[in-house]
Amino acid sequence: MQHILQAFSLESNDSEIQKFGSGLINDTFLIVAANEKYILQKINTEVFQNPEIIGKNLYEADKHLKTLYPTYLFISQIKTSDGENFFVENGNYWRLTKFIDNSYSINTVNEPEMAFEAARAFGELTVKLQGLDLTKLKPSIPRFHDLSLRYEQFKLALQNASPALKAASKTEIDFYESNNGYVETFRKIQQDETYPNRMIHHDTKINNVLFDKQTQKSLCVCDLDTLMPGKIISDLGDMVRTYSSAESEESTEFEHVKIRLTYIEALMNGYLGKLKKNLTPSEKESLIFAGPFMIYMQGLRFLTDHLNGDVYYQISYKNQNLNRAKNQQALLEDYQLNQTKIATIIAATLS
Ligand code: A2G
């Protein structure tokens, strides 16, 4: 890998390289060179078919933030010695960023305060990126959070799956089909001209936030490949999905997969505390839909991948994607039971 580091003008004789993090999409390495730490990533080009779009979106976001908020911590791309965002070799795209000193990340949210902190960080990013000309940007994954597309992909997977596979996941297939009213609600939002696009992270899980080792406050957000125009229900919904659940999406203890209202309250306070002044009436109205939108879509994506033979999400055992779909089903069912209480929390946060 030394020649890759050299392409970024990094001193190579004393560098150390090790695998880093728990991401499922890109390959990530921690580099120590000349007493500085860096993160080197090989972009997954099956998922990100046009990495140049990521480079351009991050460049525009960085430029906007540096101009308006020079002290805001945003993880910039380090250019190659040729002035490019990536070092490209044999179709592989390599990207380098600084490692943020004194930071740490967590994989599960065990204190409401962490949910508040993380949600605050994502809200702040979107607020600060307001005013950026979105027409300059393109989606790094087209129709990434388009629930209509995800539902079509599910239907196609159903058509192509073997009868045995379908029979073994009948309960889950029935659940996701009978809850497809969410697709219609999404379509209405998509067609609503008063509902704006904003710069949205699109992957707000907890390990995409870096916390300060001393203060335990959020320092910045990372994993910015899907930072692109979208709807706030994506970011808020993924926080509801992953911070409020008492179990991770990998858990098979489905009876413990429950919504924790104190975490919902904390994350709403963190996110809406930053954004509520900027929201349109249509966005405010959609806040209750954010959680189910993302839980339903994620469950559908897991089930689709199971029916397709596990081609997208990495698995370590058979039926893992089916279990993930069951986990999301349990969470969605519990959200539905708690919907009135959650609506009360949202109303209180907005007031
Ligand atoms: O797994 C990945 O990070 C996905 N990212 C994200 O959308 C979500 O499905 C997550 C579930 O753990 C991409 O598909 C790029």
Side-chain angles (χ1 to χ4, degrees), residues 186-256:
F186 170 74
R187 274 198 202 116
K188 287 202 182 112
I189 290 179
Q190 209 178 24
Q191 287 159 7
D192 180 350
E193 285 171 5
T194 72
Y195 201 108
N197 273 339
R198 299 179 186 275
M199 277 302 264
I200 299 298
H201 184 283
H202 285 101
D203 199 1
T204 55
K205 57 191 172 198
I206 196 68
N207 48 22
N208 285 335
V209 178
L210 299 181
F211 291 94
D212 186 311
K213 276 188 180 158
Q214 265 84 47
T215 63
Q216 272 77 55
K217 301 272 184 219
S218 53
L219 268 178
C220 64
V221 303
C222 60
D223 209 344
L224 299 163
D225 299 325
T226 49
L227 181 66
M228 58 183 166
K231 313 283 183 205
I232 56 158
I233 47 171
S234 282
D235 279 6
L236 182 65
D238 217 26
M239 292 190 267
V240 170
R241 183 180 85 78
T242 55
Y243 309 171
S244 82
S245 176
E247 295 281 321
S248 89
E249 68 187 9
E250 298 296 347
S251 171
T252 51
E253 303 210 12
F254 306 121
E255 67 286 5
H256 295 144

Side-chain angles (χ1 to χ4, degrees), residues 25 47-48 141 144 203 205 241 249 298 301-302 312-313:
I25 304 283
V47 172
F48 296 101
I141 302 179
F144 185 43
D203 199 1
K205 57 191 172 198
R241 183 180 85 78
E249 68 187 9
Q298 191 56 63
R301 288 176 70 191
F302 286 145
Y312 191 87
Y313 294 108

Side-chain angles (χ1 to χ4, degrees), residues 40-268:
L40 178 70
Q41 284 184 302
K42 187 170 89 171
I43 305 293
N44 180 332
T45 45
E46 295 274 318
V47 172
F48 296 101
Q49 297 191 351
N50 192 344
E52 299 296 350
I53 292 179
I54 303 177
K56 161 91 172 141
N57 289 353
L58 295 189
Y59 169 77
E60 293 294 343
D62 200 7
K63 195 168 71 171
H64 171 93
L65 293 165
K66 290 253 159 38
T67 310
L68 292 180
Y69 310 99
T71 59
Y72 176 74
L73 184 54
F74 184 77
I75 303 183
S76 305
Q77 312 174 96
I78 298 176
K79 299 238 185 232
T80 65
S81 46
D82 297 335
E84 302 293 338
N85 292 320
F86 300 97
F87 171 64
V88 187
E89 182 188 54
N90 306 327
N92 291 324
Y93 281 70
W94 294 91
R95 183 240 332 264
L96 189 76
T97 55
K98 270 239 158 137
F99 176 85
I100 305 296
D101 281 327
N102 272 316
S103 70
Y104 69 100
S105 62
I106 54 175
N107 287 322
T108 45
V109 191
N110 297 321
E111 290 163 51
E113 188 56 23
M114 299 310 251
F116 172 85
E117 275 301 313
R120 194 175 64 83
F122 286 114
E124 183 166 14
L125 178 69
T126 292
V127 167
K128 289 204 153 53
L129 286 171
Q130 191 152 328
L132 176 64
D133 181 2
L134 301 187
T135 59
K136 286 185 186 161
L137 310 177
K138 289 193 189 135
S140 51
I141 302 179
R143 300 181 71 189
F144 185 43
H145 281 181
D146 182 336
L147 188 54
S148 309
L149 172 71
R150 298 302 181 185
Y151 197 72
E152 279 164 30
Q153 291 172 332
F154 165 64
K155 286 301 212 184
L156 193 65
L158 270 181
Q159 271 173 30
N160 296 332
S162 72
L165 200 59
K166 279 192 281 196
S169 35
K170 183 172 180 334
T171 318
E172 292 70 37
I173 293 171
D174 288 351
F175 175 81
Y176 285 97
E177 282 189 322
S178 65
N179 278 277
N180 69 3
Y182 292 126
V183 181
E184 194 42 42
T185 311
F186 170 74
R187 274 198 202 116
K188 287 202 182 112
I189 290 179
Q190 209 178 24
Q191 287 159 7
D192 180 350
E193 285 171 5
T194 72
Y195 201 108
N197 273 339
R198 299 179 186 275
M199 277 302 264
I200 299 298
H201 184 283
H202 285 101
D203 199 1
T204 55
K205 57 191 172 198
I206 196 68
N207 48 22
N208 285 335
V209 178
L210 299 181
F211 291 94
D212 186 311
K213 276 188 180 158
Q214 265 84 47
T215 63
Q216 272 77 55
K217 301 272 184 219
S218 53
L219 268 178
C220 64
V221 303
C222 60
D223 209 344
L224 299 163
D225 299 325
T226 49
L227 181 66
M228 58 183 166
K231 313 283 183 205
I232 56 158
I233 47 171
S234 282
D235 279 6
L236 182 65
D238 217 26
M239 292 190 267
V240 170
R241 183 180 85 78
T242 55
Y243 309 171
S244 82
S245 176
E247 295 281 321
S248 89
E249 68 187 9
E250 298 296 347
S251 171
T252 51
E253 303 210 12
F254 306 121
E255 67 286 5
H256 295 144
V257 177
K258 298 276 180 214
I259 293 281
R260 298 174 298 180
L261 292 173
T262 45
Y263 288 72
I264 298 253
E265 197 173 354
L267 74 88
M268 289 290 171

Side-chain angles (χ1 to χ4, degrees), residues 267-282:
L267 74 88
M268 289 290 171
N269 273 322
Y271 193 64
L272 298 178
K274 285 284 168 195
L275 265 175
K276 69 178 169 190
K277 287 201 252 21
N278 307 60
L279 298 183
T280 65
S282 51

